[in-house]
């Protein structure tokens, strides 16, 4: 495991931070997840659906599917950092950690002495990553930020949805919380870069990750269409802003996606559809012309494709070198032979024998592959284990902390 020996103190909740720590955990890092003894991570209760326990396993507070999606390979400690004794425990843990991840509001951890400036005094090599909606600076810094808000503010929703004036036309969010997920990915990249610097110099640093910054960065070609060309991108439904034809088309029994990325693929498409007449039309010879005459060309192609069944057309196009594919439901995705062949779904098991399916780390490392060692933990499940191992606390000390409400009962929920 490439990150074996690395220890991460995870003070984050919900998605962006837990997504980052799960990636680090998949690659071998020891993730210590700090949760409130009573409430835990918000997503624990974001069900249904919830995990259905096997006969004989515990049935109290089964975790939500949402929580299970981003919390494997972690150890959960139930500690109330609002109590001075709880904050002191976390500070002590931070001394032996390489990375801290947190997503509190700007300045929210300083009152507990858990901000970067406080922790780096005792651990100068610490890499400390803060994830917020708007970053540590700027006029919006004090605001809370959620994925839906960021999808709107970043411009993403302005280019997502049906074109203005067509049925169902309104700005739409993406069907998964991409602003959170992208930020988790960028946070992971930044942490690994900071660790590389630390390994060379011994110097830690503070990483400031913002959902808004991330989502603006991943506007990618749409952002550059404005910055370079002065074009304000609009909603195009399933159409591509730069490439034509590159969209969803109706068939005799459903819909498929046709993604023509170059002139050669367009010529192959026309031949397969028996539409050589389109090849003789100079308007369609290159992508700029096809883009300028998008409506006419796509209407003509749509008429030709509507005569085919989806399966036959996908087979013909794929065999002829034209990228094409189905629009799968989620259940169909996990039955797709390519997804099955790639082994993306793994099965773990709780101590009580309940199967826990997970979608694994998608990159395949030939020498240090991802490893799935722990099911997403119950709230506080490893509290005693970690505090006794890392801080040498005795059973009597743990009981005193528990009696004072500083730590929770291990594995309560």
């Amino acid at each position: 495991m490439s990150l074996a020996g690395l220890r991460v103190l995870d003070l984050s909740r919900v998605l962006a931070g837990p997504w980052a720590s799960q990636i680090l955990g998949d690659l071998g890092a020891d993730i210590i997840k700090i949760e409130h003894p009573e409430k835990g991570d918000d997503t624990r209760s974001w069900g249904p659906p919830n995990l259905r326990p096997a006969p004989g396993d515990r049935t109290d507070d089964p975790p939500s599917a949402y929580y299970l999606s981003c919390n494997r390979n972690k150890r959960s400690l139930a500690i109330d950092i609002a109590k001075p004794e709880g904050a002191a425990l976390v500070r002590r843990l931070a001394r032996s950690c390489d990375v801290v991840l947190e997503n509190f509001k700007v300045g929210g951890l300083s009152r507990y002495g858990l901000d970067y400036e406080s922790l780096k005094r005792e651990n100068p090599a610490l890499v400390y990553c803060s994830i917020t909606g708007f970053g540590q600076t700027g006029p919006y810094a004090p605001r809370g930020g959620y994925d839906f808000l960021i999808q709107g503010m970043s411009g993403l929703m302005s280019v997502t949805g049906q074109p203005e004036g067509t049925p169902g036309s309104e700005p739409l969010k993406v069907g998964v919380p991409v602003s959170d997920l992208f930020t988790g990915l960028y946070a992971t990249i930044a942490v690994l870069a900071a660790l590389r610097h630390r390994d060379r110099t011994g110097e830690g640093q503070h990483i400031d990750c913002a959902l808004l910054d991330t989502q603006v960065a991943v506007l990618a070609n749409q952002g550059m269409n404005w910055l370079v060309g002065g074009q304000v991108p609009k909603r195009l439904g399933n159409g591509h802003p730069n490439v034509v034809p590159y969209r969803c088309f109706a068939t005799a029994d459903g819909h498929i996606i046709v993604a023509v990325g170059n002139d050669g693929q367009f010529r192959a498409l026309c031949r397969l559809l028996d539409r050589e007449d389109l090849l003789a039309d100079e308007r369609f010879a290159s992508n700029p012309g096809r883009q300028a005459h998008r409506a006419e060309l796509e209407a003509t192609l749509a008429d030709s494709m509507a005569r085919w069944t989806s399966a036959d057309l996908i087979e013909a196009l794929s065999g002829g070198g034209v990228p094409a594919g189905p629009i799968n439901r989620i259940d169909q995705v996990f039955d797709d032979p390519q997804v099955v062949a790639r082994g993306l779904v793994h099965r773990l098991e709780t101590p009580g024998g309940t199967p826990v399916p997970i979608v694994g780390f998608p990159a395949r490392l030939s020498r240090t592959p991802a490893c799935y060692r722990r099911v997403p933990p119950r709230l506080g499940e490893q509290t005693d284990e970690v505090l006794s191992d890392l801080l040498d606390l005795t059973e009597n000390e743990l009981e005193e902390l528990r009696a004072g409400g500083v730590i929770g009962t291990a594995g309560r929920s």
Side-chain angles (χ1 to χ4, degrees), residues 74-391:
K74 302 179 185 182
R75 298 195 281 176
S76 171
L77 276 67
I79 300 178
D80 187 353
I81 65 170
K83 295 183 181 295
E85 301 91 337
L89 288 175
V90 177
R91 284 195 297 273
R92 289 176 62 186
L93 288 170
R95 294 173 194 163
S96 63
C97 288
D98 303 279
V99 178
V100 169
L101 279 170
E102 62 93 4
N103 65 345
F104 284 71
K105 286 185 178 181
V106 174
L109 286 175
S110 60
R111 74 186 74 172
Y112 310 120
L114 296 174
D115 56 304
Y116 174 62
E117 293 299 326
S118 297
L119 295 183
K120 81 167 185 177
R121 284 195 286 269
E122 298 188 50
N123 185 357
L126 187 66
V127 171
Y128 188 108
C129 181
S130 297
I131 299 174
T132 57
F134 301 100
Q136 303 292 305
T137 60
Y140 300 163
R143 298 185 187 179
Y146 292 89
D147 177 272
F148 191 14
L149 295 176
I150 300 303
Q151 287 199 36
M153 296 179 69
S154 67
L156 179 61
M157 288 176 62
S158 76
V159 296
T160 306
Q162 293 302 315
E164 195 69 37
T166 61
S169 63
E170 66 172 343
L172 289 178
K173 67 180 180 67
V174 181
V176 292
V178 292
S179 299
D180 275 334
L181 296 171
F182 284 140
T183 304
L185 290 168
Y186 271 98
T188 305
I189 295 166
V191 164
L192 294 175
L195 288 170
R196 172 68 171 154
H197 173 77
R198 183 208 64 175
D199 291 344
R200 290 201 313 268
T201 67
E203 177 184 50
Q205 61 184 294
H206 184 220
I207 300 167
D208 175 5
C209 280
L211 271 66
L212 182 60
D213 295 359
T214 296
Q215 191 57 69
V216 171
V218 296
L219 288 175
N221 58 303
Q222 293 282 45
M224 292 302 288
N225 285 344
W226 161 249
L227 292 173
V228 172
Q231 300 175 6
V232 178
K234 295 182 172 63
R235 299 192 302 279
L236 294 173
N238 288 317
H240 193 287
N242 300 99
V243 183
V244 178
Y246 198 104
R247 50 161 280 190
C248 169
F249 288 93
T251 63
D253 59 352
H255 292 81
I256 71 166
I257 291 170
V258 177
V260 171
N262 58 54
D263 296 339
Q265 290 173 354
F266 178 69
R267 290 191 291 270
L269 172 67
C270 293
R271 294 188 185 104
L272 285 164
L273 296 177
D274 197 21
R275 294 303 306 266
E276 283 84 354
D277 58 305
L278 299 177
L279 298 178
D281 193 323
E282 292 185 359
R283 295 176 300 169
F284 309 140
S286 64
N287 186 68
R290 294 194 293 273
Q291 190 180 36
H293 301 281
R294 176 196 299 262
E296 181 179 348
L297 174 61
E298 290 186 339
T300 301
L301 292 172
D303 181 63
S304 296
M305 292 189 209
R307 304 166 190 170
W308 292 68
T309 65
S310 295
D312 288 346
L313 185 53
I314 289 171
E315 182 178 2
L317 293 177
S318 298
V322 180
I327 302 171
N328 289 329
R329 300 186 310 268
I330 300 298
D331 59 321
Q332 293 172 316
V333 170
F334 289 108
D335 284 336
D336 186 285
Q338 179 66 20
V339 175
V340 173
R342 295 291 288 176
L344 285 169
V345 177
H346 300 261
R347 306 282 173 180
L348 301 179
E349 193 173 277
T350 69
T354 299
V356 182
I358 62 168
V359 181
F361 186 75
R364 295 188 168 198
L365 286 74
S366 64
R367 298 293 295 168
T368 55
C371 179
Y372 313 109
R373 309 173 304 285
R374 295 177 178 270
V375 297
R378 287 184 171 270
L379 175 57
E381 185 173 351
Q382 291 84 21
T383 302
D384 291 6
E385 169 192 316
V386 172
L387 293 180
S388 60
D389 288 350
L390 297 187
L391 302 185

